[in-house]
Amino acid sequence: MISLNIEKTLGFISKENVFAYEAQVKAAQEALENGTGKGNDFLGWLHLPSSITKEHLADLKATAQVLRENCEAVVVAGIGGSYLGARAVIEALSNSFAWLQDKKSGPVILYAGHNIGEDYLYELTEYLKDKKFGVINISKSGTTTETALAFRLLKKQCEDQRGKEMAKKVIVAVTDAKKGAARVTADNEGYKSFIIPDNVGGRFSVLTPVGLLPIAVAGFDIEKLVAGAAAMEKACGKDVPFAENPAAIYAATRNELYKNGKKIEILVNFNPKLHYVSEWWKQLYGESEGKENKGIFPTSVDFSTDLHSMGQWIQEGERTIYETVISVEKTQYSLQVPSDEANLDGLNFLAGKHVDEVNKMAELGTQLAHVDGGVPNMRIVIPALNEESLGGLLYFFEKACGISGYLLGVNPFNQPGVEAYKKNMFALLNKPGYEEESKAIQARL
Ligand code: PA5
């Protein structure tokens, strides 16, 4: 189970003021439970962990097995909430060099549809040329340009290389039950498909087939992931007292920090495998809270790597930041620092120590330095990088995000701001139906 420690924020804000949020948090929890708050048509994520059925998990695992048996590579096509959750879990659990190893335990997982990079897509299609590959096409709307464009390329290539019949077997759709191009294509072509529930928004969808199917294809245990999330659903439930509820404390602390001028939250890890968990978290909090001209700006760093770049700014730059550190208690493997007779690097004082002991001291030293430098610091400890811990961590952040958005007074479940660029892009590309916008935008250039 994860634990949260806010002690090192308390020189900057008071515990009393954090606990003063208790009634507001209770109201936010009730609004989530009773569906009486803003965005209440998007609360399907709230009890997902405890309501996922064994049959649903078995269906996902069976489909994952078909892809694992018939593919050397599987491309996960999706963007934003239809991509980041799966990647966060897969990268956190995978061997860092899995894709370079000759003997693979399953298909290589690749990603597309999350950018419009011509070179990226060219290189991907080149790589796939001599591979038996499959595709998971993930889009709730079924019309997202980035994903649809990548899927158009991949579908054709898969059919050309593997034939229509095999393509049908190794292309899977995760999309709306009824609407959108991805649904129509899946039904017309006879693809196996999974439904993204109407009431679950993209950034809260990691525990739907959006996240679960790719994670299962990558060979990880989705039952354990869901079990970890279900345990956290309980631990963050509305009847858990404020002081014992990590989601409540996190939401209250970040809102109190924000009130005190700390406008930027930096999610920190000391484990490179957590990079995409931070990417997922940035979307979750950025899209949920950044609206109505308010909201904490979520950003992230990978330490100790970024201590050699962003460390200077964090230590001595503008004092509008705070850090939330994710600390992983136990490593999966063990590696000790060897002794060296010449000791030219002067590191013999570390000989015999585990690499993680050095990392943990870097973590502690950094925390103390940053607090001394005026940066409040929260710490989330997870026991290990495994399915249970990650499931718990993801649900913890989701629940806290719902509460935090309500404390801030915004609708945490919409994202009206993401439409502006799309409208301009379609106008600039002369998309049919955008004639007026095209004229207006051309006049501005
Ligand atoms: O959180 C969100 O709603 C977005 O990030 C979407 O997930 C993203 O834009 C992809 O949308 P779709 O699944 O409709 O392709």
Side-chain angles (χ1 to χ4, degrees):
M1 188 64 82
I2 75 165
S3 69
L4 170 72
N5 187 325
I6 64 161
E7 212 123 286
K8 293 209 161 28
T9 64
L10 297 182
F12 305 91
I13 53 173
S14 72
K15 196 168 183 176
E16 203 186 9
N17 284 349
V18 172
F19 276 66
Y21 281 88
E22 185 168 355
Q24 268 174 277
V25 167
K26 194 171 183 332
Q29 288 262 49
E30 267 160 20
L32 288 172
E33 283 300 329
N34 304 330
T36 51
K38 291 179 183 172
N40 55 6
D41 41 352
F42 283 100
L43 294 172
W45 56 273
L46 195 60
H47 295 299
L48 259 185
S50 58
S51 58
I52 294 176
T53 62
K54 276 202 160 47
E55 293 71 29
H56 183 51
L57 290 173
D59 192 13
L60 286 161
K61 285 196 321 195
T63 305
Q65 198 50 32
V66 171
L67 291 175
R68 284 177 67 77
E69 277 165 13
N70 291 284
C71 301
E72 294 164 294
V74 172
V75 186
V76 178
I79 192 167
S82 288
Y83 144 76
L84 284 164
R87 190 161 195 179
V89 174
I90 293 169
E91 305 263 333
L93 296 177
S94 295
N95 183 303
S96 309
F97 305 97
W99 57 287
L100 288 174
Q101 285 164 356
D102 292 336
K103 218 172 155 282
K104 301 201 168 51
S105 57
V108 179
I109 308 294
L110 302 162
Y111 302 89
H114 59 296
N115 62 45
I116 324 177
E118 183 158 349
D119 290 345
Y120 182 93
L121 287 167
Y122 178 86
E123 286 164 7
L124 175 67
T125 50
E126 273 296 300
Y127 172 81
L128 293 170
K129 257 186 182 157
D130 57 352
K131 304 279 183 310
K132 291 181 189 156
F133 78 93
V135 186
I136 308 176
N137 185 32
I138 309 176
S139 177
K140 187 173 184 201
S141 64
T143 54
T144 299
T145 310
E146 288 88 340
T147 307
L149 199 152
F151 183 65
R152 182 183 274 230
L153 286 164
L154 294 166
K155 174 178 185 289
K156 183 173 181 316
Q157 188 175 354
C158 187
E159 286 171 352
D160 289 350
Q161 277 177 218
R162 309 197 68 181
K164 267 232 162 210
E165 273 319 296
M166 182 49 100
K168 250 189 217 179
K169 207 169 166 180
V170 294
I171 297 179
V172 179
V174 181
T175 188
D176 187 83
K178 296 194 192 86
K179 56 181 195 299
R183 166 54 56 202
V184 177
T185 307
D187 290 349
N188 286 351
E189 300 284 354
Y191 299 152
K192 169 77 180 169
S193 69
F194 290 93
I195 292 169
I196 309 174
D198 269 347
N199 61 356
V200 181
R203 58 190 176 276
F204 288 86
S205 69
V206 58
L207 296 171
T208 72
V210 170
L212 296 178
L213 181 62
I215 293 166
V217 173
F220 300 114
D221 190 331
I222 55 175
E223 272 163 10
K224 286 187 179 161
L225 188 85
V226 170
M232 190 52 65
E233 182 186 324
K234 243 192 189 162
C236 300
K238 86 169 169 54
D239 296 323
V240 177
F242 181 83
E244 292 159 31
N245 187 328
I249 299 283
Y250 179 58
T253 307
R254 59 199 303 284
N255 274 276
E256 181 59 14
L257 286 163
Y258 182 57
K259 226 166 93 182
N260 284 273
K262 304 298 181 191
K263 309 267 186 200
I264 301 166
E265 177 172 3
I266 307 175
L267 193 71
V268 177
N269 68 66
F270 280 79
N271 186 323
K273 291 188 178 194
L274 286 170
H275 177 82
Y276 275 94
V277 168
S278 297
E279 295 303 309
W280 171 85
W281 172 89
K282 282 193 278 193
Q283 190 212 354
L284 181 65
Y285 281 81
E287 269 192 352
S288 298
E289 295 194 321
K291 48 196 73 160
E292 299 175 28
N293 295 328
K294 50 187 178 179
I296 295 164
F297 183 79
T299 186
S300 63
V301 288
D302 301 321
F303 285 167
S304 68
T305 312
D306 293 334
L307 283 170
H308 297 257
S309 60
M310 295 303 289
Q312 171 61 36
W313 201 105
I314 295 170
Q315 189 69 42
E316 295 182 350
E318 196 180 30
R319 302 297 73 186
T320 45
I321 57 173
Y322 66 95
E323 290 177 310
T324 300
V325 181
I326 302 178
S327 180
V328 183
E329 216 163 17
K330 275 206 189 92
T331 58
Q332 193 181 349
Y333 304 107
S334 149
L335 185 66
Q336 281 159 296
V337 180
S339 174
D340 185 90
E341 211 174 303
N343 194 28
L344 292 177
D345 53 13
L347 287 185
N348 270 355
F349 74 103
L350 296 177
K353 282 196 193 299
H354 285 270
V355 172
D356 196 52
E357 281 181 77
V358 183
N359 200 29
K360 288 286 189 302
M361 289 310 110
E363 186 182 316
L364 182 57
T366 304
Q367 188 185 37
L368 295 171
H370 288 181
V371 171
D372 288 346
V375 181
N377 213 287
M378 277 192 263
R379 193 157 177 265
I380 295 166
V381 180
I382 65 173
L385 272 190
N386 58 33
E387 286 91 337
E388 284 100 333
S389 294
L390 284 167
L393 185 69
L394 298 178
Y395 187 84
F396 156 76
F397 277 134
E398 288 183 354
K399 185 67 190 278
C401 186
I403 298 172
S404 183
Y406 280 169
L407 294 182
L408 190 66
V410 299
N411 175 354
F413 307 115
N414 66 2
Q415 56 284 328
V418 302
E419 296 309 315
Y421 97 90
K422 293 183 193 167
K423 208 177 102 196
N424 285 348
M425 177 175 77
F426 293 146
L428 289 164
L429 288 167
N430 296 314
K431 183 174 177 173
Y434 284 75
E435 290 75 11
E436 283 309 307
E437 288 88 346
S438 290
K439 260 191 242 157
I441 206 160
Q442 288 302 334
R444 283 176 60 192
L445 302 179

